[in-house]
């Protein structure tokens, strides 16, 4: 969309949290754009590809790099994996945690939010992997906690035809987090490693203990095999908007990732999560930061931006877009005719989903599967804002004012050119408006310190559920019982 109307006036300017949104694949949210001569997303197998991105974004003072992930292919559309395979729609895709230490070694400040599912990996093993990378990055790791959504992952990892039911996945995730907090926060005291060279004691055994967790989904005796990392628990990110997802976010999330085509769609959900955090979990809901997915397409003039958008459309893959839509929604639009109006079909799921899209794109008088494909082919399930730096900044301010968001996960149309355009054109305009910082709040600090802008805030906030699990330095074991 073109942002051509004046900005809504915010009550109080607040610096935005700005992340790059990527995945270890080609195209990510814009399938088919890998064919564009200026796109380099297809180089995702090369380590230098990611290291150079991290250096570019840190020099521009991005808060973090948010790395999405999936554990299966998009095979709902046409009941086949072929459309995703042919178009390169998040296929092939590499494991995201592996590349983070290399990016961290080339930088000092930028954070790394990595998507990892609670459904397909044992908590003891994941706690080790996350703590290791938090050590190697000097505390610059975030964990985007997801429960997964593709049956293809269930078939390949668990050998089952379908995944656990939605609410069962969240029930498992709830217990999973409790195990993780026990391992991260409770099984070692802060000062357990003493490195006493005279007595030959590396770690005081009295300051390491089993957690003896026995639950419905997991039995984990512990203790954690890794010593406490700089953040103990990585910065916690989450992206659920169902009722179960909102309750999970209200208790655990420090940041929430939302994808919607209009700020009005996410505003109600954000308000509900923050209120649940306050009333049910004793948290300050305003400290839960919300990051919206946006794909900016920038030009020095509106005509230049619109020309870029039109050019990108020529490379977008309809088949890839419908493959992604099928995975996100579980809806196979191949069963409908090319000219069939999807708001009039029998399926309530199809009607409600497409009507939701149409509500915020009234310029389309008819919604067919091709209209849906065009809607998600660039930028995925989030808005495109096309225009000059001033126009795009106006659009972002509208999301802050109307949606209540605190920042943005910027997706790309072209990698890395879209990020270079953001750096060269958009960030100076945001700084001019007091919406973007000049430097990291805590140079050389942890992800959490820079996220909150608070030196010393390496561990979860005192009001966060994880804080009560922390076995702090100097506290006898009998005075800190592991919470259940």
């Amino acid at each position: 969309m073109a942002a051509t109307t004046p900005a809504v006036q915010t009550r109080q300017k607040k610096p935005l949290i700005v992340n790059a949104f990527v995945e270890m694949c080609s195209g990510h949210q814009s399938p088919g754009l890998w064919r564009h001569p200026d796109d380099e997303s297809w180089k995702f197998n090369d380590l230098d590809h990611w290291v150079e991105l991290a250096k570019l974004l840190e020099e521009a003072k991005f808060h973090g790099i948010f790395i999405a992930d999936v554990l299966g292919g998009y095979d709902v559309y046409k009941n086949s994996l072929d459309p995703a395979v042919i178009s390169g729609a998040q296929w092939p895709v590499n494991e995201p945690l592996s590349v983070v230490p290399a990016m961290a070694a080339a930088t000092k400040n930028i954070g790394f939010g990595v998507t990892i599912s609670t459904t397909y990996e044992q908590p003891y093993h994941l706690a080790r992997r996350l703590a290791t990378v938090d050590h190697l990055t000097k505390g610059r790791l975030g964990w985007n906690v997801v429960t997964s959504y593709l049956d293809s992952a269930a078939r390949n990892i668990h050998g089952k035809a379908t995944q656990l039911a939605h609410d069962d996945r969240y029930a498992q995730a709830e217990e999973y987090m409790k195990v993780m907090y026990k391992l991260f926060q409770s099984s070692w005291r802060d000062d357990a490693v003493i490195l006493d060279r005279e007595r030959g004691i590396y770690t005081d055994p009295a300051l390491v203990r089993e957690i003896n967790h026995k639950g419905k989904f997991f039995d984990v005796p512990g203790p954690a095999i890794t010593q406490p990392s700089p953040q103990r628990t990585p910065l916690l990110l989450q992206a659920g908007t169902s009722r179960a997802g909102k309750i999970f976010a209200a208790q655990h999330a420090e940041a929430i990732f939302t994808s919607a085509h209009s700020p009005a769609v996410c505003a109600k959900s954000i308000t509900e999560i923050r209120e649940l955090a306050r009333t049910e979990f004793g948290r300050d809901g305003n400290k839960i930061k919300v990051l919206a997915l946006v794909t900016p397409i920038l030009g020095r003039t509106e005509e230049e931006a619109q020309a870029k958008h039109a050019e990108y459309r020529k490379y977008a893959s309809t088949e890839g877009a419908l493959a992604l839509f099928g995975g996100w929604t579980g809806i196979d639009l191949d069963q409908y005719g090319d000219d069939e109006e999807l708001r009039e079909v029998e399926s309530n799921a199809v009607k409600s989903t497409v009507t939701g899209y149409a509500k915020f794109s009234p310029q389309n008088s008819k919604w067919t599967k091709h209209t849906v494909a065009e809607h998600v082919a660039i930028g995925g399930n989030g808005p495109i804002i096309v225009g000059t730096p001033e126009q795009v900044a106006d659009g972002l301010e509208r999301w802050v004012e109307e949606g209540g968001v605190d920042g943005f996960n910027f997706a790309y149309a072209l990698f890395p050119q879209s990020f270079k355009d953001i750096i060269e054109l958009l960030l100076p305009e945001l700084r001019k408006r007091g919406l973007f910082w000049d430097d990291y709040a805590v140079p050389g600090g942890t992800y959490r310190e820079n996220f909150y802008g608070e030196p010393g805030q390496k561990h979860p906030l005192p009001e966060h559920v994880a804080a009560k699990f922390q076995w702090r330095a100097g506290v006898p074991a009998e005075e800190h019982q592991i919470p259940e």
Side-chain angles (χ1 to χ4, degrees):
M1 66 180 182
T4 57
T5 55
V8 176
Q9 294 299 311
T10 53
R11 294 182 182 86
Q12 182 179 356
K13 299 281 188 179
K14 57 181 179 180
L16 299 172
I17 297 169
V18 171
N19 291 332
F21 187 44
V22 299
E23 188 172 347
M24 292 198 72
C25 62
S26 67
H28 190 202
Q29 296 287 303
S30 300
L33 268 293
W34 58 268
R35 298 186 302 128
H36 191 287
D38 294 333
D39 182 76
E40 298 181 1
S41 65
W42 55 273
K43 296 181 179 179
F44 64 89
N45 289 315
D46 294 342
L47 194 61
D48 288 347
H49 175 80
W50 298 104
V51 170
E52 291 306 311
L53 176 69
K55 290 161 63 177
L56 173 74
L57 298 176
E58 178 171 85
E59 185 177 0
K61 313 303 181 186
F62 273 60
H63 289 72
I65 302 174
F66 191 110
I67 311 176
D69 192 33
V70 290
L71 293 171
Y74 289 82
D75 59 1
V76 173
Y77 177 59
K78 294 185 174 179
N79 195 30
S80 171
L81 189 58
D82 284 354
V85 172
I86 293 168
S87 66
Q90 297 185 23
W91 184 278
V93 57
N94 291 347
E95 193 279 326
L97 191 62
S98 304
V99 76
V100 169
M103 291 194 288
T107 56
K108 294 185 180 301
N109 300 292
I110 196 167
F112 306 95
V114 179
T115 301
I116 303 176
S117 177
T118 59
T119 303
Y120 299 115
E121 184 166 355
Q122 289 295 314
Y124 177 81
H125 181 47
L126 181 57
R128 183 194 193 197
R129 294 203 299 134
L130 291 177
T132 298
V133 176
D134 199 50
H135 278 298
L136 295 176
T137 61
K138 294 182 170 62
R140 289 187 281 142
L141 183 65
W143 174 22
N144 178 34
V145 185
V146 299
T147 62
S148 296
Y149 58 89
L150 294 172
D151 286 341
S152 57
R155 292 195 299 272
N156 282 290
I157 299 174
H158 281 173
K160 297 179 180 179
T162 59
Q163 58 195 323
L164 284 172
H166 179 274
D167 285 1
D168 289 339
R169 296 201 305 276
Y170 271 102
Q172 177 177 295
E174 188 62 49
E175 184 181 335
Y176 200 108
M177 296 307 295
K178 186 176 291 186
V179 177
M180 296 296 273
Y181 294 149
K182 290 177 179 180
L183 291 168
F184 282 144
Q185 305 275 114
S186 295
S187 65
W188 292 63
R189 204 169 80 173
D190 283 343
D191 54 351
V193 176
I194 60 175
L195 294 175
D196 187 329
R197 289 172 172 82
E198 289 189 7
R199 295 188 294 158
I201 302 173
Y202 193 97
T203 301
D204 186 340
L207 305 184
V208 181
R209 61 187 175 183
E210 294 183 342
I211 62 170
N212 293 317
H213 176 89
K214 293 184 180 296
K216 178 180 178 181
F217 298 98
F218 305 105
D219 289 341
V220 182
I225 196 171
T226 49
Q227 71 188 73
S229 67
Q231 297 184 114
R232 295 210 66 150
T233 296
L235 183 73
L236 295 173
L237 317 165
Q238 199 263 346
T241 54
S242 65
R243 176 63 181 173
K246 289 174 184 175
I247 293 171
F248 187 88
Q251 183 174 11
H252 301 288
E254 296 175 87
I256 296 170
F257 171 46
T258 183
S259 57
H261 281 280
S262 164
V265 174
C266 64
K268 181 179 178 182
S269 178
I270 292 170
T271 299
E272 185 177 348
I273 290 171
R274 285 175 168 155
E275 183 63 14
L276 280 169
R278 185 184 67 82
T279 58
E280 299 297 323
F281 302 108
R283 302 177 65 192
D284 180 351
N286 290 323
K287 290 182 179 176
I288 301 175
K289 305 302 181 183
V290 180
L291 311 173
L293 168 64
V294 170
T295 304
I297 298 179
L298 290 139
R300 288 172 178 80
T301 64
E302 185 175 354
E303 292 74 21
E304 181 185 349
Q306 293 292 354
K308 283 184 180 181
H309 186 208
E311 181 187 12
Y312 298 164
R313 285 281 178 206
K314 295 176 183 177
Y315 292 92
S317 169
T318 297
E319 290 286 279
L322 291 174
L324 293 181
F325 177 85
W328 294 335
T329 64
I331 297 169
D332 178 10
L333 292 185
D334 186 55
Q335 61 189 297
Y336 301 105
D338 287 345
D339 296 320
E340 193 166 357
E341 169 59 71
L342 297 178
R343 288 171 290 182
E344 298 175 0
V345 301
E346 290 186 10
S347 168
N348 287 329
V350 174
K351 281 194 293 188
S352 63
T353 300
V354 176
T355 299
Y357 284 170
K359 182 179 179 182
F360 300 102
S361 296
Q363 67 271 22
N364 293 307
S365 59
K366 187 173 183 179
W367 277 79
T368 67
K369 64 185 181 184
H370 297 290
T371 317
V372 171
E374 182 179 351
H375 199 61
V376 301
I378 298 177
N381 201 32
I384 306 170
I385 306 181
V386 183
T388 64
E390 294 80 9
Q391 290 173 326
V392 173
D394 287 349
L396 298 180
E397 286 205 67
R398 187 165 295 105
W399 274 82
V400 173
E401 181 69 14
E402 297 178 7
V405 305
D406 302 283
F408 299 93
N409 279 353
F410 287 134
Y412 64 86
L414 299 184
F415 187 114
Q417 188 57 50
S418 293
F419 297 126
K420 291 181 178 179
D421 287 347
I422 290 168
I423 292 165
E424 181 182 355
L425 301 175
L426 180 59
L427 294 188
E429 178 64 25
L430 294 179
R431 282 199 178 97
K432 188 189 304 182
R433 300 181 184 208
L435 291 172
F436 190 61
W437 61 10
D438 292 320
D439 200 357
Y440 292 93
V442 186
T446 65
Y447 198 176
R448 188 172 279 112
E449 286 174 295
N450 275 305
F451 181 80
Y452 289 113
E454 294 289 342
Q457 190 61 63
K458 298 180 178 182
H459 302 152
L461 296 174
E463 66 189 44
H464 191 279
V465 60
K468 68 181 180 180
F469 285 84
Q470 186 168 346
W471 187 10
R472 301 183 186 279
V475 177
E478 59 271 17
E479 293 182 16
H480 182 268
Q481 299 300 312
I482 300 175
E484 289 298 334

